[in-house]
Amino acid sequence: MRMKLLSVFAVVALLAACETAPTDGQAGAGTGGVQSTTAPAPAPAGPTPGTNEDFVVNVGDRVFFAFDSSELTAEARTTLEKQAFWLRKYPQTTVTLEGHCDERGTREYNLALGERRAAAARDYMVSLGVDPSRVTTISYGKERPAVLGSNEEAWAQNRRSVTVIN
Amino acid sequence: MEKLHDHVRSEGHAVLTPHTPVRPVAEPSRADLSRRGLGRLALGGALAGGLAGGVAGFARPAAAELRIDITQGRVEPLPVAIADFKGQGIEATRIGREVAGIIRADLERSGLFAPIDQQAFIQTDLEFDAVPRFGDWRLINAQALVHGRVTELGNRQVRVDFRLWDVFAEQYMTGTTLTVIPESLRRAAHIIADMIYKRITGEDGYFDSRIVYIAEEGPQNRRRKRMAIMDQDGANHQFLTDFGTLVLTPRFSPTHQEITYLAYYNNKPRVYIFNLDTGQQEVLGDFPGMTFAPRFSPDGNQVIMSLARDGITDLYRMDLRTRSVTRLTNSTSIDTSPSFSPDGTQVVFNSDRGGSQQLYLMDSNGAGVRRISFGQGRYATPVWSPRGDLIAFTKITGGEFHIGVMRVDGSGERLLASGFLVEAPSWAPNGRVLVYFKQQRTDSSGRGGESKLYTIDLTGYNERELVTPLDASDPAWSPLLR
């Protein structure tokens, strides 16, 4: 399933790249540029609504945290509100919230901190009306950085909770 | 020639049973091995008294005991002559050379001994049943002399005899006989090295032990990890799991051939037990959230660990016989990395209940929690020394990670090793040496990030890399093998 989704995503991404490159600024809009193709059977542009790709591109799948903190920033709340709205629109979907940390902590503490971040994100989504049974959490501590590099920019992007559509 | 029996009054004899890499070896018991060599039992108090704070030298009065006082700070390595063990025939000669080489490597790596190059030896006609020509060994400044004999007994049995001599006092110090199959020869050599270490330092050795750790490869954002085990010198390396499942933080049972660790089987991070005899892996309990940071109790009958649920991480204890679970902490903070005192009555752990990560002690039933670390920075991964007097930890301060030790009451903090990322100390079974890992910085293209194991003496000297086939992290030292 995961493999299939990935390959669909790859094709869609390629199409999107072809179509949006000339017009610029349409990336992520989800509808732009279709009419400009001459193909007889136009493929839908952008991710299929309701998929993880749709969620990543059109909602935003992750929120970020300050060092050694699990407090939700205003920006994080806005993202989670959009996520909750999306989840109400697709009531059949369930999600896993993955909590992550930067590399500047010890392994076991970071496992706990990652769990605390995922729980903070989940609690907020539940407070917005998302059924708790649709949300599970997992912590990877510092095991799965999103961005390479031992520098502040990378660490800021690695202190995150990522919402993955199951 | 002097009569040997004037020197050697009693020697132990032990039989080593077959040793397959992951199976325990039932014999010899350590007790049997320590019942040997009468030598002189008086300890060298006079020598120890004269060395406070300085570098120990080896000029000593003739009557003084040959002894390295390892209670001092830095110790100058003791020059020892370790001759290739002698044997009749090609195979016995080869074995004798191998055994002596392992003993030399163990003792040299400890930082307390300096094996002398065999090229310098004057007496090359050592006979096992004769007293050495001490004058020849004094000339090359050998303080101690080790020699031995290898005898093939047939039926794949090999007998290894050794003797340790105090060159300046012209005294026999210790010796033993071990009967082994070829697969156990390395163990025999480690046991002999432990006997030499103990006879000269007065403290138990740690060479007949193993290290379990996490082997790693790949870029940091697609890192793959698997559990591996090896002898403390890196020999007999073996993988215990494959790369298919993320595994972390393995720790030995003090009493059984078991390892407790964290694994992400089916994407559910839970504490498992790996049985080294059978290779079986078993999840521990049925908890409603992530369990991690496991450690055995000193009697091996309990595992203490963290359970994270709803953003709160508390400590729990599971009795492995009844499977009953006891909750030990009940706070809204992160309580993790618990470690029992060697008598099992107390637990040290780290918690952010006071705002940042610090070390706390409590009774093993969860009562009487009190903070013990008060320095600058964050403290983590406390591990109680097997001797009971010290707690090793990871400290994060000033943008660096450090390995340090403090007394049980939090006083006397000393930092032993530092770096960009240094983490996870584990004690050698004698409480004298620590193993930990160091990870290097990664650049934005993913270069760097190498992670390697290191050992260091409690004094903060003699830091050595412990070479592993792949990158390595999360080391844990075994108890002495039995």
Side-chain angles (χ1 to χ4, degrees), chain A residues 2-18:
Chain A
R2 180 65 51 93
M3 287 292 288
K4 197 170 138 202
L5 277 177
L6 275 177
S7 53
V8 168
F9 182 47
V11 170
V12 169
L14 269 175
L15 285 172
C18 293

Side-chain angles (χ1 to χ4, degrees), chain A:
Chain A
M1 188 60 189
R2 180 65 51 93
M3 287 292 288
K4 197 170 138 202
L5 277 177
L6 275 177
S7 53
V8 168
F9 182 47
V11 170
V12 169
L14 269 175
L15 285 172
C18 293
E19 288 160 3
T20 55
T23 52
D24 199 22
Q26 290 293 311
T31 53
V34 175
Q35 74 276 22
S36 70
T37 64
T38 53
T48 310
T51 61
N52 192 52
E53 292 67 45
D54 173 37
F55 185 77
V56 170
V57 172
N58 297 317
V59 178
D61 67 338
R62 60 198 60 199
V63 297
F64 303 100
F65 296 86
F67 178 70
D68 197 18
S69 170
S70 57
E71 211 166 295
L72 297 174
T73 62
E75 197 184 345
R77 284 172 192 270
T78 303
T79 303
L80 291 171
E81 283 155 16
K82 288 200 285 185
Q83 292 188 358
F85 182 80
W86 191 93
L87 285 172
R88 281 203 298 275
K89 198 166 154 195
Y90 300 103
Q92 301 310 310
T93 55
T94 60
V95 294
T96 301
L97 301 191
E98 299 178 348
H100 298 272
C101 303
D102 66 29
E103 65 186 353
R104 301 313 285 158
T106 45
R107 193 176 317 287
E108 289 174 343
Y109 181 83
N110 276 6
L111 288 169
L113 181 59
E115 199 272 344
R116 197 191 249 173
R117 285 174 174 162
R122 180 202 54 199
D123 289 352
Y124 190 58
M125 287 171 75
V126 168
S127 79
L128 297 170
V130 175
D131 185 339
S133 68
R134 296 171 64 192
V135 186
T136 54
T137 60
I138 187 169
S139 173
Y140 287 101
K142 59 176 172 178
E143 302 305 311
R144 296 281 182 267
V147 174
L148 290 169
S150 298
N151 56 67
E152 292 294 345
E153 295 73 30
W155 295 333
Q157 294 183 71
N158 290 334
R159 296 190 293 262
R160 70 200 192 278
S161 171
V162 181
T163 304
V164 180
I165 311 298
N166 294 322

Side-chain angles (χ1 to χ4, degrees), chain B residues 225-364:
Chain B
K225 300 195 175 191
R226 62 195 299 197
M227 192 157 63
I229 192 169
M230 61 191 173
D231 294 350
Q232 55 78 29
D233 61 355
N236 291 318
H237 187 278
Q238 228 189 323
F239 291 109
L240 297 176
T241 65
D242 61 24
F243 279 129
T245 300
L246 176 61
V247 287
L248 302 169
T249 64
R251 279 89 193 235
F252 271 99
S253 165
T255 51
H256 297 90
Q257 288 297 309
E258 290 175 343
I259 289 162
T260 185
Y261 63 106
L262 170 61
Y264 277 67
Y265 289 108
N266 304 314
N267 261 335
K268 284 178 86 171
R270 293 292 185 276
V271 169
Y272 284 75
I273 285 192
F274 188 104
N275 186 309
L276 288 169
D277 290 336
T278 64
Q280 282 191 332
Q281 303 173 57
E282 178 198 1
V283 68
L284 212 49
D286 181 21
F287 290 91
M290 172 173 67
T291 49
F292 62 106
R295 276 190 201 275
F296 284 96
S297 60
D299 64 6
N301 289 329
Q302 298 177 48
V303 169
I304 191 169
M305 62 188 131
S306 283
L307 166 64
R309 192 188 182 194
D310 300 335
I312 294 169
T313 295
D314 280 315
L315 297 176
Y316 289 75
R317 199 181 63 197
M318 175 182 263
D319 190 302
L320 298 175
R321 295 158 302 185
T322 64
R323 299 279 149 164
S324 67
V325 175
T326 308
R327 184 174 190 160
L328 298 178
T329 64
N330 194 347
S331 73
T332 57
S333 58
I334 290 173
D335 296 342
T336 193
S337 302
S339 169
F340 277 99
S341 62
D343 66 2
T345 63
Q346 290 183 289
V347 172
V348 63
F349 62 101
N350 80 244
S351 174
D352 67 345
R353 59 184 62 198
S356 76
Q357 275 174 284
Q358 297 290 338
L359 305 187
Y360 292 80
L361 282 192
M362 64 181 176
D363 300 342
S364 55

